[in-house]
Amino acid sequence: MTTDDDTTDFDPSTAHTARVYDYYLGGKDHFKADRIAGEHAERVHPHVRTSALENRKFMLRAVRYLAGQGVRQFLDIGTGIPTEPNLHQAVQEIEPAARVVYVDNDRLVLSHARALMTGTDEGRTTYVHADVRHPDSILTAPELLGTLDLSQPVAVSVIAIAHFLDDPQDPFGIVDQLMAAVPAGSYLVMSHATADFGPEMGEVARVYRESGMTAQVRTHDEFARFFTGMDLVDPGITTPHRWHPDIAPSETMDGQVQFYAGVARKN
Ligand SMILES: C[S@@+](CC[C@H](N)C(=O)[O-])C[C@H]1O[C@@H](n2cnc3c(N)ncnc32)[C@H](O)[C@@H]1O
């Protein structure tokens, strides 16, 4: 991201990841700088929008799968601008008592947070405005502690956000710290941009960096490192459109969707 303190900055003249993603998803909550960065990214990777859309669908399938497995608590880090259905709507449809904590550091996401807190009466949904680079600020947030019982399993979703942390920001240590705070039986749900399927996503990362955002693609082995010590849920690490697809995945998308996705259980 652009500065070390995006929790207080709001600058519509600089592209931000949440708003560029909103541009890809066809939303209305982005500014000219975000559109310019998004259009530039589409020029270097004509299927970047497909990657974003398939990533979003993966998020929904993964959390529905976990709700179906009996997971009742969700911590979603890097939530994004509300886009229906949101995570809490997906899981509370399966388990109305599911509890969801959303976390993001984008001011625009914060301004929409109320739209994320319209859960069921039995369940609970809350929002923490925090930066994942400071996991303690998330794990000790009163909103989180008032909503989740950290002695019970939690699905921690870190979806399409770790590629906005470069190695010096230690994304592996951050994910480890988050997973250390939840008990056995919890899950890690992740997706991440990669250049393993072609150079285009690496070019997108370059466009992001040139637009003032931090971005780093990672290889299969680097992505696998996030799940060290955990049991990957079948089919293991794959692309978002091939993770528990609702319909037979299109082969045309292989190579277009330049993301990895995976879900793993902590033992
Ligand atoms: C590409 S969007 C992904 C949204 C959602 N997880 C999904 O996959 O549909 C990335 C989100 O991560 C957030 N983000 C990026 N860096 C962050 C940071 N350091 N701390 C918290 N949130 C961050 C952005 O504001 C944005 O909302």
Side-chain angles (χ1 to χ4, degrees), residues 1 17-18 21 55-56 59 76 78-81 104-106 109 130-133 159-161 164-165:
M1 297 293 293
T17 60
Y21 188 65
N55 172 72
R56 185 80 190 170
M59 180 278 281
D76 182 50
T79 296
I81 292 162
D104 207 288
N105 72 340
D106 188 287
V109 178
D131 194 308
V132 72
R133 290 171 296 184
I159 302 181
I161 168 174
F164 299 125
L165 302 174

Side-chain angles (χ1 to χ4, degrees), residues 15-216:
H16 269 233
T17 60
R19 301 177 327 225
V20 181
Y21 188 65
D22 178 75
Y23 164 80
Y24 297 145
L25 295 183
K28 294 188 173 58
D29 294 295
H30 50 265
F31 301 101
K32 191 173 169 193
D34 310 304
R35 203 159 47 244
I36 289 171
E39 286 169 354
H40 194 173
E42 284 181 303
R43 280 198 293 280
V44 298
H45 183 8
H47 299 294
V48 67
R49 197 181 280 259
T50 308
S51 293
L53 289 165
E54 290 303 318
N55 172 72
R56 185 80 190 170
K57 290 187 204 163
F58 158 72
M59 180 278 281
L60 292 169
R61 289 198 307 278
V63 298
R64 283 185 180 124
Y65 169 88
L66 292 176
Q69 297 295 306
V71 179
R72 297 290 172 257
Q73 307 195 96
F74 294 81
L75 171 57
D76 182 50
I77 302 178
T79 296
I81 292 162
T83 304
E84 300 228 346
N86 293 291
L87 190 155
H88 71 282
Q89 293 162 321
V91 297
Q92 288 177 349
E93 230 173 68
I94 294 167
E95 174 45 75
R99 296 175 166 219
V100 179
V101 174
Y102 289 116
V103 181
D104 207 288
N105 72 340
D106 188 287
R107 299 291 294 183
L108 198 62
V109 178
L110 174 66
S111 74
H112 285 289
R114 219 172 296 137
L116 292 166
M117 290 194 252
T118 55
T120 53
D121 291 341
E122 308 94 304
R124 201 116 142 237
T125 308
T126 193
Y127 182 81
V128 177
H129 185 64
D131 194 308
V132 72
R133 290 171 296 184
H134 308 293
D136 277 339
S137 69
I138 297 172
L139 296 168
T140 60
E143 300 92 331
L144 182 147
L145 296 172
T147 305
L148 302 182
D149 174 356
L150 293 182
S151 71
Q152 296 300 313
V154 180
V156 181
S157 46
V158 185
I159 302 181
I161 168 174
H163 46 232
F164 299 125
L165 302 174
D166 57 17
D167 285 346
Q169 293 175 333
D170 192 20
F172 301 103
I174 288 170
V175 170
D176 281 354
Q177 195 177 333
L178 291 167
M179 292 311 294
V182 292
S186 294
Y187 287 86
L188 173 62
V189 185
M190 275 194 84
S191 66
H192 198 295
T194 183
D196 282 4
F197 306 116
E200 294 87 350
M201 196 57 96
E203 284 299 294
V204 171
R206 180 182 57 77
V207 167
Y208 273 52
R209 288 193 295 272
E210 286 173 4
S211 306
M213 298 172 274
T214 304
Q216 180 174 339

